[in-house]
Amino acid sequence: MNRFDYVRPSTVAEAVAAAALPGSAYLAAGTNLLDLMKGGILRPARLVDVSRLPGLDRIEAMPDGGLRIGARVRNADLAHDPSFSRRFPAVAEALLSGASAQLRNAATAAGNLLQRTRCAYFYDPASACNKRDPGAGCDAREGENRLHAVLGWSEHCIATHPSDFCVPLAALGAVVEIEGQAGRREVALEDFHLLPGETPERESILASGELVLGLRLPAGADGFAAHARYVKLRERTSYAFAVVSAAACLRMRDGVIEEARLALGGVAAKPWRAHAAEAVLAGARPDAAAFRQAAEAALADARPSGDNGFKIELARRIVARALALAAAGTQERLPALPASPFAPIPGGPLHA
């Protein structure tokens, strides 16, 4: 590991000032950052420890009916908060499907947003990776790429974003609160992560030294609580990142879908909000035909980035399964394996 400076600011203003110096990186739980440093993937000159900054570890109800999640809130604490899990069950289910219990006890909300891709070529310093070393090339393009992107990728990068947490947040219209040298600003989580284009090394809209302060779920987002599910398909049922996943949130009235929210994970360099599919579902009856039509709309622009054409049909099926589970109603208790696609649909067959 390379030598680095370590500072522990006592206020957000001090943290932002310290991180404005070149080569700085923020440290909270470090569940991803420290691994990258040990592997020589990242070599920050300075770590700015924000793990004890006051006021960033709260789950707060907002006066307008929304809810704020501080950047330092632990994944496990958020998922197991009774009020939060009742209001936003798909988010709780996504959190509990990610990593291990030990990691969830340490990892933070902001760290989850900012975690780096799990592309094997990014993690291998001997491989060409435009995300790690701009201009070096992308060995994944002609390498092992069956788990890579099918939406929004470019010739320069085909990596996917690994977060489960961010997928239902994108569906529900979450907002990210940011502090930097230029002051405070807010951005929709849907716009927070960037597609690779010609600059895959730039993964979010954050400017140098900017700090994520928290996330806010808007008023009315809990109106989907009765019909909200997250479904995640992985190569093994626990402790694995998604091959594909989907968050489906429905607002039902008189047996008809009044409003739908849908986002996909594991298919792009960002959580993928499926607006076209949402439009298909608005006013439709919740049946298999409508769900299949929505799935087709969600993946209409998908194309293989390598040996991963199977992911497109797989994603369609996961979308349809998530919508069917959401339409059947949010379960009173999470299944023993949260987000498992093998959970039966109430009143229907196990396999769609």
Side-chain angles (χ1 to χ4, degrees):
M1 184 182 293
N2 66 299
R3 295 176 64 86
F4 56 86
D5 294 333
Y6 171 85
V7 295
R8 182 186 287 169
S10 57
T11 66
V12 168
E14 289 178 6
V16 170
L21 298 173
S24 298
Y26 287 117
L27 170 69
T31 55
N32 188 204
L33 174 62
L34 295 183
D35 282 344
L36 292 168
M37 291 174 65
K38 291 174 184 177
I41 311 306
L42 296 182
R43 297 178 177 272
R46 175 182 300 98
L47 291 186
V48 181
D49 187 344
V50 296
S51 64
R52 301 188 186 185
L53 290 183
L56 302 185
D57 58 350
R58 303 171 187 162
I59 305 169
E60 303 173 283
M62 305 300 290
D64 66 355
L67 183 131
R68 184 178 184 275
I69 305 162
R72 288 179 46 215
V73 172
R74 306 291 179 179
N75 288 4
D77 292 338
L78 184 61
H80 291 296
D81 181 271
S83 176
F84 180 84
S85 60
R86 281 195 302 271
R87 295 181 66 187
F88 308 104
V91 185
E93 188 167 20
L95 283 167
L96 292 174
S97 75
S100 65
Q102 294 91 334
L103 285 172
R104 292 195 297 269
N105 285 337
T108 63
N112 196 302
L113 265 66
L114 295 168
Q115 64 182 301
R116 308 296 296 274
T117 182
R118 264 52 182 191
C119 174
Y121 299 96
F122 172 73
Y123 273 81
D124 177 16
S127 297
C129 174
N130 288 317
K131 190 177 287 293
R132 174 172 30 80
D133 183 14
C138 176
D139 277 350
R141 292 288 291 117
E142 301 299 329
E144 174 56 50
N145 49 32
R146 61 184 299 275
L147 300 181
H148 284 65
V150 294
L151 285 165
W153 56 273
S154 76
E155 295 299 320
H156 302 282
C157 182
I158 60 173
T160 60
H161 193 267
S163 175
D164 295 297
F165 179 45
C166 289
V167 179
L169 289 179
L172 292 172
V175 172
V176 185
E177 300 175 355
I178 301 165
E179 181 86 13
Q181 289 285 306
R184 187 166 298 192
R185 63 181 177 131
E186 298 181 349
V187 63
L189 184 134
E190 182 183 354
D191 300 322
F192 180 80
H193 300 99
L194 301 177
L195 294 175
E198 297 184 353
T199 56
E201 71 279 7
R202 188 159 184 245
E203 298 178 350
S204 76
I205 55 85
L206 289 179
S208 178
E210 284 193 313
L211 175 66
V212 173
L213 300 181
L215 296 154
R216 196 172 66 251
L217 283 159
D222 56 357
F224 296 93
H227 296 277
R229 293 299 301 271
Y230 180 69
V231 179
K232 173 183 179 180
L233 184 69
R234 41 204 149 170
E235 291 196 310
R236 60 184 188 276
T237 306
S238 63
Y239 310 156
F241 296 98
V243 178
V244 295
S245 66
C249 306
L250 305 175
R251 200 189 307 268
M252 309 280 291
R253 183 189 295 270
D254 299 328
V256 171
I257 300 171
E258 188 174 46
E259 183 180 3
R261 301 289 185 87
L262 182 69
L264 286 77
V267 295
K270 61 185 292 182
W272 193 270
R273 179 82 179 269
H275 289 283
E278 294 173 357
V280 166
L281 291 165
R285 294 205 168 272
D287 56 31
F291 299 155
R292 185 66 187 183
Q293 186 180 358
E296 293 287 347
L299 278 299
D301 295 327
R303 59 192 178 101
S305 60
D307 187 26
N308 60 355
F310 75 96
K311 285 186 70 170
I312 299 172
E313 177 58 24
L314 189 61
R316 292 189 187 107
R317 296 188 183 205
I318 290 298
V319 166
R321 172 59 65 92
L323 288 167
L325 288 169
T330 303
Q331 295 174 307
E332 291 187 11
R333 295 175 61 88
L334 284 176
L337 292 172
S340 171
F342 304 110
I345 301 172
L350 177 62
H351 299 290

